[in-house]
Amino acid sequence: MRAARLIKMVLLLQARPSMTGAELARELEVSERTVTRDAAALSEAGVPVYADRGRAGGYRLIGGYRTRLTGLGRTEAEALFLSGVPSALREMGLADAASAARLKVSAALLPELRDASRTVAQRFHLDAPGWWQEPQTPTLLPDVADAVWDDRRLAVRYRRRDTEVDRELEPYGLVLKAGVWYLAARAAASGGSGGSGGSQGDFRVYRVDRLATVGPTPGEGRFRRDETFDLPAFWEERAAQFARSILREKITVRLTPDGARTLPYVTDRTAGEEAVRSAGEPDGEGRVTVTLPVESAEVAYAQLLALGPEAEVLSPPELRERFAAAARRMTDLYT
């Protein structure tokens, strides 16, 4: 633990001209007295750490000293590619690895480039969770992330509606979508380690917050990754399949120009845009008639109420009557 802290201290001083004891203590999460002792230990080990006394004093490296401890480890290099998503790194337990990686990169850069991390952070930020919801980090996410990094099988208990099922999975990848974590995995081969000698299932998607338990599988527990698996392509395909699967019903709606522009913002965006694009020519009142896939008549009623008089439901008849009844109640309210 102390060795890692001493290395981090050297890298911090190498990346900056000078740092006060308070700044080092804050970065290293120790007391200023510990910083003083660590600086003395580095000096005794031959690292030229110099302490300037006084109000404007601090610690610095002298003589152009450059450490050779700047090689990135595998975990640090992988974490570095995710460093634009700090919340995701924290939730997967990789924040420390990313911090170490950024320090090593800063130490290896030319002096005029060492402010790169600061200037990027001032210009770009990714806020993954959606609006109007409190993000919840799944308790078991770090364990799942470790298994994904290490190609290690998992024995899980998964909550499915009112029941729980046991599965042995080969975890291939994690996806963060609108604040919700998903695991792309397939059933583990039944014929021993290495993914050979048994049958494997199709790749499936599991919500990480529905994992009740996670643990190692018996035996060696590692699997041979299918190198042809493409996580972004897999997720794009499954997301499209999911969107199509929940839009099981169709309704016919007549829209004003304002209604046509607003439709994608009150319904499924892709379905709304495709419905408007495939509409015929406007009628004499400038309205277009569209066929819109919806999850259900109940959901369509709640969504299209937002359009008010900009949308007229033509079919199915029972949904049209429901809107007519709502219009009569509105008239009574405002007359």
Side-chain angles (χ1 to χ4, degrees), residues 50 56 98 107 164 172 185 240 246 285 320 331:
Y50 182 78
E164 292 185 354
Y172 268 70
I246 65 172
E285 298 180 4
R320 177 179 174 84
T331 301

Side-chain angles (χ1 to χ4, degrees), residues 108 126 146 159 184 245 324 333:
L126 175 62
D146 284 344
R159 290 188 289 266
S245 70
L333 282 173

Side-chain angles (χ1 to χ4, degrees), residues 147-163:
V148 170
W149 290 123
D150 294 340
D151 295 339
R152 191 173 64 250
R153 290 192 185 93
L154 286 176
V156 307
R157 175 162 290 180
Y158 188 70
R159 290 188 289 266
R160 181 185 292 171
R161 297 184 178 90
D162 298 328
T163 64

Side-chain angles (χ1 to χ4, degrees), residues 11 42 50 126 135 152 210 223 265 269 271 274 281-282 313 325:
L11 293 172
L42 287 171
Y50 182 78
L126 175 62
R152 191 173 64 250
R210 292 181 184 170
F223 66 93
Y265 299 98
R269 189 181 186 97
E274 291 179 354
E281 292 296 320
V313 174

Side-chain angles (χ1 to χ4, degrees), residues 254-255 276-290:
R254 188 165 168 256
L255 300 166
V276 172
R277 279 198 300 267
S278 60
E281 292 296 320
D283 59 20
E285 298 180 4
R287 294 174 176 251
V288 294
T289 299
V290 303

